Every structure is written in structure tokens, then in C-alpha cells.
Amino acid sequence: MLKLSKHRWLAWLIWALAWGLMFALDETISLGSMALLLVLASAVAALWSSAWASLFSSVLSVVLFNVLFVPPKFTFHVHFLHDYFLLITMLGVSVVVSSLMWRLRRAAELEHLHATQSEQLRSLSDQLRENQDLNAHAQLLEGLMAVWGYPQARVLWDTHVTQHAQAFSLSVRGKAQQFGVVQLGAQTQPIDHLEPQASHAHMQALCDLLGLELERQQAIRSAKLANEEAQSQKLRNTLLTAIAHDYRTPLANLMGAASVIHDQGSRLPATRVGELSHTILDEAQQLNRMTNNTLQLARLDASALDVRKDWESLQELVGSVIHKSKQRFVGAQFHIDMSPHLPLLHCDAILVVQLLENLIENAVKYSPAATRIDIQVTQPLADQVRVCVRDQGPGIPDAWKERVFDAFARVDTSPLAFESHGDHTARRGVGLGLAVCRAIARVHDAKIWIEDAPQGGTAVCVAFPVRHQPEVADVMMGDTA
Amino acid sequence: MSLKVLLVEDDRELRQTLQGALQVEGYDVTVSGSVADAMAVLRHSSQASPAESFDILILDLGLPDGDGSTLLHWARQHYALPILIISARHDEWNKVGLLDAGADDYLVKPFSISELLARIRVALRHRGTTAVAPITHYKDGEIEIHLQRHEVLLQGQAVKLTPTEFKLLARLVRSTGQVVTHRQLLLDVWGDEFVEHTHYLRVYMAQLRNKLEDNPTEPKRLLTEPGVGYRLRESI
């Protein structure tokens, strides 16, 4: 299309050459040969000129040929009958050849146009798939409209606009709904002279492509949502079943102990009442911890918005957890190995304490009574602080090292694990602890994983990222000892 | 004469349990189940003879006719009695706000009766810090602190503290046995433009522990209340 106007000068050149040659060879060659030269020029010039121009120039050249070369020269008269034939044949051949040439060229141009159009459709489709952003889509489409002579084309997503859409606008629509309109604006370059209808149809096809792609993305999104909804429904059901199961055991023990005191209190020896009330206290504390974990997991799953981070000292947090754990697990031997000069962590103290408590509780539960529990706090990398809690229990099979972090996963469902441990009651209620730990680690951009402890047993490690430390200015003048 | 306790708690079971336990310990317990009722009881008792007024208020946060914090603010404006908050765990941050607003201490539900009695004893010891001379002396095992003499002794040896360390320690000594929030410590030791600079506390507490604790990782006296503040353990 564009080639036509660019190469029009070539047609003029051909005509000039032909006429120059004819003047040069006048009287040297026969009139018939000169006529053939003109027919050739007319045919070649038709390659680069429009249909009407080549027809006009063919007729004009025949007339001029008659005036300038056919005797008597410089008149419209023709002396000889055979010269009439020559002129008429020449006119006929010129017109036929130039119109054939023009049609040939037009067919080639149309083919080129269609190739361009399908290439545009294909590349648009690719680009739409790569990018999900509406603004980027609009820019792509506007760019393509500019190629077709509408540089002011604007994509409007607001579907309300369609109500007062302008005359020159195309709609961006899918099968079921309209997403927006393209307002074409003024056409600056009338380049679609070949088939204006076809290029409008093509622009609409581009819009339709976008519309279908938007519809497809919408369908994918809603399918994903539905899938997530189903997943979370499934998780909720699993959680509810598991919570119900986990709560029943301590509740049964509570009920049992309390009802014995209630029904037989007067007949029981004082030591037995003491034991029973101890059971009640233990089970109530167990229920309390499970409730805290369950609530925390639900809260963290719902949103991370409630996390209140501040600069905290891991030494303090670990210290306070150990202080409480020593009171809770009398007999367990805690060994703490903490690097001096640890950096401060930007974290939620309450959540990190809960994480550490869960790790220690698990370590105690999964170890033989009164064995050593190691708590190691190190800074292996400049930007990482790592807490590892090691027990001397039976360890966790590799296949379970990831799965134990799922809510209510339990290693003791495997028949091989923990068979050697008689005390079954010590192990219940672990289902949620590590899931909570993982959720807490996640809101702190920390990693949590399980490895085999060097001397057997399990090590659960958490790696917290270290942020740029805050400045502590020496606000008190002369604040030295 | 026995000490008078006003217990504001809307759960009937817990109220009865606590009332019974406190009576066994010799306290004279009045119970109330709502903000409005508690206000009326407090007002009535203060209008009667001074002997009738309460010695301590134990306050649950979730009450049927309003938040316990309403009662706390009101009571703080009108009375000097110590206030002990009992709350459920999800009130964690609310709790810090209440301590900053003038509550003396808090307990997270569920708690054991021995914890409650210990907190009541501490709160009563600090009762009327305006009338009674403030605590300026602390002695626990090998450590002895004289605030007026600016002296800290560990195993009879003087410990050198920086002025800031001493101010921080002094603030904790004045509230021995009670939790002091981060905000209160930063405000009293560094000043009001530093109340957000929690990291100052971490650094200076670590220095204090290094100087005063046998094992700074497992402090015996300078205790951490994660997310809330610090507590200097009562001497036993």
C-alpha cells in the first residue's frame, strides 16, 4: 500500500526514458517498433502507478505518439490506413497490459496486506497471553490502530462509555460481555485505499481478539477462585475433624478426673484427690495451648495484618521461653548455646515466643523423659539468625520432614515411627504446633525446616532474616561507667 | 481488718471460683458483673467512711455493658486504688494500652489462683505510692540496690553502671514485682521523643543483665514480658 506512493517516480522515469529513446531513434527505426517501445513503457510504468493513472497515461501516450511521430507529424491526422490499425492496436494492447499489470500488483498488495493482518493478529494474541495488565493491553491495541491510520485511537474500559459511544468506535467484546470500546478518532493517513471495509474488519478482529482473551483470563481467574474456595473448604473440614479429635482427649481426661472428685470425693484419700486435680490442671493447660495455636493459625491464615513487629532481642525471647519451659517441663534438661552479640530482630514478640514454645514443647514430647534438649542460637550468615531446637527422640523419616508442617499431620500414623515409645499420651496434640510455627515463620520471611540431629533425634531450625540494625545514639552525655 | 477487693467479672462460674478462693485467703470480696454496677459500687463505697473504700480492683476486660477499659479510665481519674486486669489472650495489645493507661498489672486467662494471689500481693504493696514512700531499696540474694545512695552491690562489691543504666534499673526497682511497659520505661528514662525507640531498651537491658545476672541468657531477676515490657522479680 505504502509502496505505491513511494515509487510513483519510477513510473515517471520509465515514461521519460521511453520518450527520450523514441526522439533519439526517430526516423532510424520503424513506426511499428517505436509503438512497441511505448507499449512496453506503458506496461512497466503500470507496475508503480495507480489504475487510473496508467490508463490515462496509456491513452495520452497513444495520442502524443500520433501527433509527434505518425505522419503527417504535428497533426491529429493519419495518412495511412495501416497507421490507424497500428494506433488502435497500440491503444488496445496498452490498456489491456496496464490494467493486467495493475491487477497483478493489487493482488500482490492484498496478499501482503493479509499477511500483515494475520501477523498482527498472531503477535497480538501472543503479547496478550504474556501480559495480564489491562493498561498494557490498551497500549498494544492503540499502537496497532495507529498502524492503520488512527493514531488518536483510545481504549476505554469503562463500559458506561459504550452508551454514548462515538460513531467511529469499535467494541472490545467477548462472547458474553462487552469490556470496553476503542474510540478511533480522526484518521490521519488514508492508507487503506485498497479495501477500507477490509481494514475496518481487521481492526474489529483485533478488538475481538482482545475481548476473547479478556474473557478467557476472567474464566481462568474464576476457575482458580472456585478451586481455592474448594481447597479451603476441604482444609476447614480437615481442621474441624482434627480439632474435634484433639480436643476430645483432654476433655475426656478432664471429665474423668473431675467426675471422680465430684462423685467419690469424700471417699477418696487426699493423695488421690491431689493427683486428680493435677491431671485437671495439666489437661486444662493443654487445652489452653491448643486453643491458642488453633486461633493463631486461623488468624495468621486470614491475614498478616495483625502482626506487630518491633525491634526484639532474641536472647530475651529465648530466655523468657526457657524460663517458662523449665517450670512447665520439670525434669527436662535444657541446654542453651547462644552466640554473644546477636543482632536485634524485627519481629512480633508474641508470635516468636509462641513459635519457640511450640518447638520446645514438641522436642519434650517426642523425647524420652529427662533427656537433653539443645537450643542453639547462632548467626551463620551476616543477614541470618538461626534458632535450632534439637531433641534426642526417634527422629522423623525423610518422607515426613515436609509434611509435618501441614496442619494435623502426624508422624505417628506411620506404623514404624514411635513404636518404641510407650507413653502415647505424651504425643497427642502435636497436629497443629508445627503448622503454627510455619505460619509464624512465613509472616517474618523466615525459613523453617527439619534436619536430623548429629547424635540422632530431630532438629527443627528457623532462620530469621536480619535487617539493617537501628542506630542507638548515645543520648546521655558521658554515658559511660 | 481484712482487705477489701472489688472483683468485676461477668462470667458467673469464674466469679464464684475467684470469690471463694480470695475469701479463703482472708480478703473481703465484693463482686460485680458490669461496668455500670461496678461504678455504682465504687462510688457508694467512697462516699461512706474511708474504711469502707476498696483496697484493690480486679477487672475483666470483656463486660456485657461496655469494655473494661472504660471502667479503668474512669476509676483512674477518681480513685488511687491499684487495678489488676484479667483478660483473654487475644487482648494482648489492648492489654499494653491499659497498662500504659494506669493499670497496675495484668493476668492472661486462664490463670492459676496462685498467680492471681501473687499479683494481688505485689499490687497492694505498691498501693498508694503517693502516700507511702516509694520503694528505693531492693535486696534479693546477692544483689542489693540503694536508689538514694546511687549504689548497686553484687556480692558486696559495687557495680559500675552508666547513668542511663542506673535510671532504667531505678525505674524497675520503683515498680518491683510489677510489669513496666516499654512505653513507660522509654518515657521515664529517655523522654517522650523516644517512646517508639524500643531498640534502646533491648540494648540497655542486655547491658544491665550482663552486669547484674549470673547468666544473662536466663535472667533470674530482670525478667522479660514478651511484647509488653519488663519486670524486676520480687525478692523472695
Side-chain angles (χ1 to χ4, degrees), chain B residues 137-154:
Chain B
H137 177 252
Y138 175 86
K139 187 173 189 326
D140 181 35
E142 294 163 339
I143 194 164
E144 196 170 355
I145 304 165
H146 293 280
L147 292 188
Q148 276 155 343
R149 276 189 264 160
H150 254 259
E151 191 177 64
V152 180
L153 299 171
L154 190 62

Side-chain angles (χ1 to χ4, degrees), chain B residues 4 11 28 31 45 49 66 89 106 112 115 129 132 138 144 151 158 166 173 195 198 202 204 213:
Chain B
K4 280 176 67 71
D11 184 86
D28 175 3
V31 292
S45 72
S49 66
R89 188 177 174 106
Y106 72 94
S112 71
E115 283 177 284
T129 37
V132 181
Y138 175 86
E144 196 170 355
E151 191 177 64
F166 187 81
V173 167
V195 289
T198 328
R202 310 293 177 221
Y204 279 89
E213 294 279 358

Side-chain angles (χ1 to χ4, degrees), chain B residues 182-195:
Chain B
H182 296 138
R183 196 188 153 81
Q184 284 167 351
L185 286 172
L186 287 163
L187 190 70
D188 293 347
V189 177
W190 280 274
D192 56 4
E193 66 267 47
F194 286 90
V195 289

Side-chain angles (χ1 to χ4, degrees), chain A residues 72-83:
Chain A
K73 287 188 178 177
F74 312 112
T75 64
F76 287 102
H77 298 288
V78 177
H79 274 186
F80 308 106
L81 187 63
H82 65 261
D83 287 344

Side-chain angles (χ1 to χ4, degrees), chain A residues 9 18 72 89 110 117 143 192 195 252 259 343 350 352 358 378 423 479:
Chain A
W9 62 273
T89 320
L110 272 180
Q117 288 179 343
D192 52 344
E195 279 184 21
S259 63
I350 288 156
V352 171
N358 282 342
T378 52
D423 185 11
D479 192 20

Side-chain angles (χ1 to χ4, degrees), chain A residues 296 307-314 316-318 320-321 345-357 440 444, chain B residues 89 92-93 182 198 202 224-229:
Chain A
Q296 199 66 270
V307 178
R308 308 211 186 180
K309 293 183 185 174
D310 203 341
W311 289 105
E312 301 288 348
S313 149
L314 203 51
E316 287 184 352
L317 299 183
V318 171
S320 89
V321 171
L345 289 187
H346 197 67
C347 63
D348 184 319
I350 288 156
L351 292 182
V352 171
V353 163
Q354 191 167 11
L355 184 153
L356 296 171
E357 280 175 354
I440 292 173
H444 288 98
Chain B
R89 188 177 174 106
E92 205 87 45
W93 291 99
H182 296 138
T198 328
R202 310 293 177 221
T224 311
E225 298 272 334
V228 180

Side-chain angles (χ1 to χ4, degrees), chain A residues 399-438:
Chain A
W400 279 87
K401 286 199 170 80
E402 261 302 308
R403 287 175 68 188
V404 286
F405 289 106
D406 293 336
F408 292 102
R410 252 165 228 270
V411 185
D412 60 359
T413 52
S414 138
L416 290 173
F418 303 108
E419 278 303 308
S420 54
H421 284 267
D423 185 11
H424 179 78
T425 53
R427 293 199 305 277
R428 61 200 166 78
V430 73
L432 215 50
L434 284 173
V436 173
C437 290
R438 185 171 62 178

